[in-house]
Amino acid sequence: MKKIIQLDKHSKTPLYMQLKAALLEYIEEHLKEGDALPIESEIEKQFSVSRITVRKTIDELVKDGIVTKTQGRGTFVQSRKIIQKAGTITSWSEEMRIKGKKTETRNMIINEIEPSRKLTSELNLSRGEKIICLKRLQCADGEPIAILINYFRSKFVPGFMEKGLTKESLYALLEEDYGIQLEKAHERIQARIATDLEALELGVSPDSAILHITRVSYLADGTPFELVEMANRSDRYQYDIELLGRNKLKSFNAESE
């Protein structure tokens, strides 16, 4: 095993955290899903740390979902995080299919409900207007990844309650059956602790961190159509955002004027 970084025993950063950073870099540079991590004695020798430090570090990697330990076999790299590219409006199933993942929907619930004050405000609803609530547990390659709740305006999708979600992708159904195309969206991303119910549904331990995304999507004329609440496992889901430099942004704004 090749050392990636040198540990500093005089640093205020605990050794196990330094070792964790080194092992994460090693995994990123040299290993792929399913590969075995070097055995504890080799890590101990290479980084000149105690067995206790090595085990604490590996326990941290297990907790983060980076590796998994198999009794009698060793420690192995788990699935890479699923990376969601920001900047385009795609359905969860479409995004997973692009990444070559096999998707599955569990625990689907569809209701027509009276909107809360928050939904009424976010979607600019008229008095008495109802919305459809579509809740699903989304899985990739057989593993629960996200709890997805779509709230969208009933009057734009007549007959939806009777037909239900007849396609894997909600957005494909909206486009093909109702001629609805979402022009733009605004997202808010927040890291928080999972509720007990979310932890149970996602199959993670209590007090696990999740990535919570709220999206409001708009039609071409600026009408707010949908609000999405998505709770993603932070150990399996990563958001990737590409930013423009200041000069590029100035050029873009000038061309748009």
Side-chain angles (χ1 to χ4, degrees), residues 15 31 82 91 99 101 127 129 140 209 225:
L15 277 177
L31 303 180
I82 295 169
S91 73
K99 299 181 183 306
K101 300 287 184 179
R127 182 183 296 274
E129 187 176 347
F225 169 76

mmCIF file of all heavy atoms in Angstrom, residues 15 31 82 91 99 101 127 129 140 209 225:
data_model
loop_
_atom_site.group_PDB
_atom_site.id
_atom_site.type_symbol
_atom_site.label_atom_id
_atom_site.label_comp_id
_atom_site.label_asym_id
_atom_site.label_seq_id
_atom_site.Cartn_x
_atom_site.Cartn_y
_atom_site.Cartn_z
ATOM 1 N N LEU A 15 -5.252 11.658 15.211
ATOM 2 C CA LEU A 15 -4.627 10.774 14.232
ATOM 3 C C LEU A 15 -5.648 9.993 13.412
ATOM 4 O O LEU A 15 -5.471 9.787 12.216
ATOM 5 C CB LEU A 15 -3.675 9.792 14.943
ATOM 6 C CG LEU A 15 -2.278 10.319 15.262
ATOM 7 C CD1 LEU A 15 -1.492 9.265 16.034
ATOM 8 C CD2 LEU A 15 -1.536 10.689 13.984
ATOM 9 N N LEU A 31 -8.802 2.400 -5.659
ATOM 10 C CA LEU A 31 -9.752 1.301 -5.510
ATOM 11 C C LEU A 31 -11.075 1.601 -6.192
ATOM 12 O O LEU A 31 -11.406 2.751 -6.444
ATOM 13 C CB LEU A 31 -9.996 1.012 -4.019
ATOM 14 C CG LEU A 31 -8.767 0.671 -3.171
ATOM 15 C CD1 LEU A 31 -9.174 0.415 -1.726
ATOM 16 C CD2 LEU A 31 -8.019 -0.525 -3.741
ATOM 17 N N ILE A 82 -24.069 8.316 -5.410
ATOM 18 C CA ILE A 82 -24.776 8.715 -6.608
ATOM 19 C C ILE A 82 -24.690 10.230 -6.704
ATOM 20 O O ILE A 82 -25.082 10.942 -5.789
ATOM 21 C CB ILE A 82 -26.237 8.262 -6.556
ATOM 22 C CG1 ILE A 82 -26.297 6.729 -6.556
ATOM 23 C CG2 ILE A 82 -27.030 8.829 -7.720
ATOM 24 C CD1 ILE A 82 -27.665 6.179 -6.246
ATOM 25 N N SER A 91 -36.267 13.741 -13.624
ATOM 26 C CA SER A 91 -36.875 12.926 -12.581
ATOM 27 C C SER A 91 -35.802 12.049 -11.945
ATOM 28 O O SER A 91 -34.740 11.815 -12.525
ATOM 29 C CB SER A 91 -37.987 12.040 -13.170
ATOM 30 O OG SER A 91 -37.436 10.987 -13.932
ATOM 31 N N LYS A 99 -27.233 6.938 -15.064
ATOM 32 C CA LYS A 99 -26.053 6.450 -14.348
ATOM 33 C C LYS A 99 -25.952 4.927 -14.357
ATOM 34 O O LYS A 99 -25.082 4.357 -13.704
ATOM 35 C CB LYS A 99 -26.073 6.978 -12.915
ATOM 36 C CG LYS A 99 -26.030 8.498 -12.850
ATOM 37 C CD LYS A 99 -26.025 9.005 -11.424
ATOM 38 C CE LYS A 99 -26.062 10.523 -11.409
ATOM 39 N NZ LYS A 99 -24.990 11.142 -12.207
ATOM 40 N N LYS A 101 -28.103 2.737 -13.153
ATOM 41 C CA LYS A 101 -28.650 2.103 -11.965
ATOM 42 C C LYS A 101 -30.003 1.461 -12.269
ATOM 43 O O LYS A 101 -30.792 1.976 -13.058
ATOM 44 C CB LYS A 101 -28.831 3.132 -10.840
ATOM 45 C CG LYS A 101 -27.550 3.824 -10.404
ATOM 46 C CD LYS A 101 -26.663 2.890 -9.617
ATOM 47 C CE LYS A 101 -25.431 3.608 -9.086
ATOM 48 N NZ LYS A 101 -24.553 2.705 -8.289
ATOM 49 N N ARG A 127 -58.027 29.917 -3.601
ATOM 50 C CA ARG A 127 -58.838 29.425 -2.484
ATOM 51 C C ARG A 127 -59.607 28.165 -2.909
ATOM 52 O O ARG A 127 -60.233 28.127 -3.967
ATOM 53 C CB ARG A 127 -59.832 30.503 -2.042
ATOM 54 C CG ARG A 127 -60.689 30.093 -0.841
ATOM 55 C CD ARG A 127 -61.696 31.183 -0.511
ATOM 56 N NE ARG A 127 -61.039 32.412 -0.090
ATOM 57 C CZ ARG A 127 -60.675 32.653 1.170
ATOM 58 N NH1 ARG A 127 -60.888 31.748 2.119
ATOM 59 N NH2 ARG A 127 -60.083 33.800 1.475
ATOM 60 N N GLU A 129 -58.382 25.373 -3.886
ATOM 61 C CA GLU A 129 -57.660 24.529 -4.838
ATOM 62 C C GLU A 129 -56.978 23.373 -4.117
ATOM 63 O O GLU A 129 -56.369 23.543 -3.066
ATOM 64 C CB GLU A 129 -56.620 25.353 -5.596
ATOM 65 C CG GLU A 129 -55.936 24.587 -6.719
ATOM 66 C CD GLU A 129 -54.976 25.445 -7.530
ATOM 67 O OE1 GLU A 129 -55.016 26.690 -7.380
ATOM 68 O OE2 GLU A 129 -54.186 24.866 -8.295
ATOM 69 N N ALA A 140 -32.092 2.267 -5.620
ATOM 70 C CA ALA A 140 -31.158 2.085 -6.727
ATOM 71 C C ALA A 140 -30.376 0.806 -6.477
ATOM 72 O O ALA A 140 -29.780 0.636 -5.414
ATOM 73 C CB ALA A 140 -30.217 3.280 -6.848
ATOM 74 N N ALA A 209 -27.184 11.519 9.161
ATOM 75 C CA ALA A 209 -27.348 12.742 8.378
ATOM 76 C C ALA A 209 -28.007 12.422 7.044
ATOM 77 O O ALA A 209 -27.742 11.384 6.433
ATOM 78 C CB ALA A 209 -25.995 13.395 8.134
ATOM 79 N N PHE A 225 -46.008 25.023 -10.434
ATOM 80 C CA PHE A 225 -46.797 23.808 -10.648
ATOM 81 C C PHE A 225 -46.594 22.764 -9.560
ATOM 82 O O PHE A 225 -47.523 22.080 -9.164
ATOM 83 C CB PHE A 225 -46.438 23.190 -12.006
ATOM 84 C CG PHE A 225 -47.000 21.805 -12.214
ATOM 85 C CD1 PHE A 225 -48.344 21.617 -12.508
ATOM 86 C CD2 PHE A 225 -46.184 20.677 -12.095
ATOM 87 C CE1 PHE A 225 -48.863 20.336 -12.677
ATOM 88 C CE2 PHE A 225 -46.693 19.396 -12.268
ATOM 89 C CZ PHE A 225 -48.035 19.229 -12.562
#
